[in-house]
Amino acid sequence: MRFEISKVLDAIEGRVCTDPSLARAVLDLAEVIRYQDLDGGRPANLLRLGMVIDALARDLEEDSVPVYAIVHRALLSDADLTSNERMVVRRWADDGLVEVLDHPGDRMLEVADLLGLPVLSRARFDGLRGRFPWTVEQPGRVLAPVPGAGGPVFIAHVGGGNVPVAGTRSATGEKLLARQWRCPEPGCALFGGGGGGGAFADLARVERAPAGQPPPALRGGVPTCPRHGARLGDAGPRPRTEVLAVRIGGLIRRRFVLTEEQPVLVGRAPEERGGIVLGQWLNDEARRWISRGHVRFELRVGEVIVTDVSTNGSGVRPGGSMAEADRIALKPQQSRVLSAGDMVELYPGVQVGRAGELPSGAPFTPTSVMAEAPTMAMRLPRP
Ligand SMILES: [Zn+2]
């Protein structure tokens, strides 16, 4: 039983991140784990985070949708959690997967504002409507997770809808996210780098930095580390990124970020660090066809380049066309620049393309974080 629970917590770990390109909603972890009415269990339970993430995946009709979790520091020593749960949250904090704060204040709304994300919360934000007018003006931007028939469901605070709706990044958010930032505090998990070790001294430790850095907090208009309250140094333009998505059987199973620093290998079970593992979603035939590492993606001067590194080859569907006559074969070791709308097909029904161009088509029930936990093999890159 204990073993199964840590498997589930590992699965949830793949669904928390502070990467602005991947997070799909913002929530307050201390609040969510105390939704006792979701299951009638103990006062605080980390598994409730998994239940809420599952509900989000159902509503967005995508698998693996990560949330941006704000964590009050008191939670790291909250006696209502098990020691195992506390240890897991501390690990997330150390790895920068969640944002730990002494005084969260209105940071949840600030993040949602900067990134254009929906907020999952039962809290009322009456005093903050002036600063964040979208909380009352945009239906679907703030939703309360409440008990439903098959797990939690969402109810919009305004407008009466029940599906989370993303907005757009605020102008300030765009400006902040165009730069990379450096916290003077040594070993800062959010804006790693430290003070004296040179600009890139600690990049190896915080693997997702700098392309995946969270949005800085603004204090009096000054970019500030939300964790340490320190003024952030401007470390130059943020590296270019492209968000790609994997679609299997018509459904987006996961998204990943491509940077110019790091190619990404996609296949049945790539051995390289940061590789995208598809094995758990494939039937036997597809598993036989698709190599462990099947295609490699690179970002070069803003162009997405795909290289087939498989045994059996793959194909490109120009502009997403599903007509067989349009399909361009990609033989082993061949490369191709992806034009707008192009989709790489590893096997019929197994596709990779730019996230914005690849709709989640089929009617679907996403794999539950709970149910797939035992085979859970995909994890965000960790130091
Ligand atoms: Zn910091």
Side-chain angles (χ1 to χ4, degrees):
M1 188 60 187
R2 175 178 290 265
F3 179 71
E4 284 309 313
I5 284 182
S6 46
K7 284 278 191 190
V8 174
L9 292 177
D10 278 354
I12 296 173
E13 177 169 308
R15 267 88 157 169
V16 286
C17 79
T18 53
D19 187 327
S21 303
L22 294 177
R24 305 294 293 279
V26 190
L27 51 78
D28 179 338
L29 189 62
E31 179 193 333
V32 167
I33 62 169
R34 290 186 182 279
Y35 292 155
Q36 206 168 357
D37 55 6
L38 293 187
D39 51 70
R42 52 197 172 86
N45 191 332
L46 198 49
L47 297 186
R48 288 176 195 137
L49 174 63
M51 298 171 74
V52 169
I53 292 172
D54 274 355
L56 182 66
R58 258 194 319 271
D59 279 354
L60 298 180
E61 302 188 324
E62 262 194 55
D63 228 332
S64 328
V65 289
V67 295
Y68 193 120
I70 307 288
V71 180
H72 194 297
R73 199 160 71 95
L75 196 70
L76 303 183
S77 48
D78 191 322
D80 285 340
L81 291 176
T82 65
S83 60
N84 186 36
E85 287 174 325
R86 286 195 296 270
M87 192 187 69
V88 166
V89 177
R90 278 194 208 114
R91 192 173 70 217
W92 296 352
D94 290 345
D95 291 352
L97 297 178
V98 298
E99 193 173 298
V100 178
L101 303 175
D102 291 336
H103 306 288
D106 56 10
R107 175 64 177 163
M108 181 163 59
L109 293 189
E110 181 183 52
V111 168
D113 181 66
L114 295 171
L115 301 184
L117 294 177
V119 175
L120 306 179
S121 175
R122 294 182 186 175
R124 296 181 57 92
F125 301 108
D126 294 340
L128 295 163
R129 291 175 178 184
R131 202 176 144 209
F132 304 109
W134 48 265
T135 55
V136 283
E137 287 167 6
Q138 292 179 15
R141 281 297 295 281
V142 187
L143 302 102
V146 296
V153 293
F154 300 113
I155 296 177
H157 287 216
V158 291
N162 51 22
V163 175
V165 176
T168 51
R169 289 179 180 176
S170 68
T172 310
E174 290 286 6
K175 247 168 87 181
L176 290 172
L177 293 170
R179 314 295 299 174
Q180 47 176 315
W181 304 94
R182 200 66 66 209
C183 178
E185 194 69 31
C188 177
L190 299 174
F191 300 95
F200 298 100
D202 285 337
L203 280 190
R205 198 188 80 79
V206 184
E207 189 177 347
R208 66 186 166 74
Q213 280 186 344
L218 277 181
R219 305 244 174 106
V222 176
T224 305
C225 176
R227 172 75 186 90
H228 299 108
R231 188 190 185 119
L232 295 172
D234 186 329
R238 188 176 288 234
R240 229 193 277 251
T241 60
E242 186 76 60
V243 182
L244 302 185
V246 178
R247 188 170 68 179
I248 298 176
L251 306 168
I252 304 289
R253 301 300 180 167
R254 80 166 280 187
R255 300 176 179 214
F256 60 95
V257 179
L258 195 58
T259 66
E260 295 194 330
E261 289 134 33
Q262 188 69 47
V264 175
L265 201 57
V266 178
R268 177 164 42 83
E271 281 160 7
E272 283 75 1
R273 197 164 70 151
I276 305 297
V277 179
L278 308 183
Q280 72 269 35
W281 294 298
L282 304 175
N283 60 25
D284 289 348
E285 230 169 295
R287 288 178 65 90
R288 274 195 295 275
W289 178 268
I290 295 177
S291 300
R292 289 181 73 87
H294 199 96
V295 282
R296 187 176 67 233
F297 290 91
E298 285 165 272
L299 187 64
R300 268 191 242 148
V301 216
E303 304 252 51
V304 177
I305 297 159
V306 59
T307 303
D308 187 286
V309 292
S310 73
T311 309
N312 294 320
S314 44
V316 173
R317 294 196 169 274
S321 164
M322 293 311 285
E324 275 316 302
D326 293 342
R327 187 177 186 273
I328 299 164
L330 201 61
K331 296 196 178 78
Q333 303 310 320
Q334 265 188 337
S335 292
R336 191 180 168 85
V337 175
L338 288 194
S339 303
D342 284 3
M343 208 164 69
V344 178
E345 196 166 57
L346 287 67
Y347 180 83
V350 181
Q351 297 131 354
V352 184
R354 291 182 182 83
E357 300 171 347
L358 208 61
S360 217
F364 122 107
T365 316
T367 320
S368 159
V369 166
M370 313 296 180
E372 81 178 11
T375 56
M376 193 72 189
M378 38 171 226
R379 292 157 66 98
L380 293 182
R382 292 183 48 207

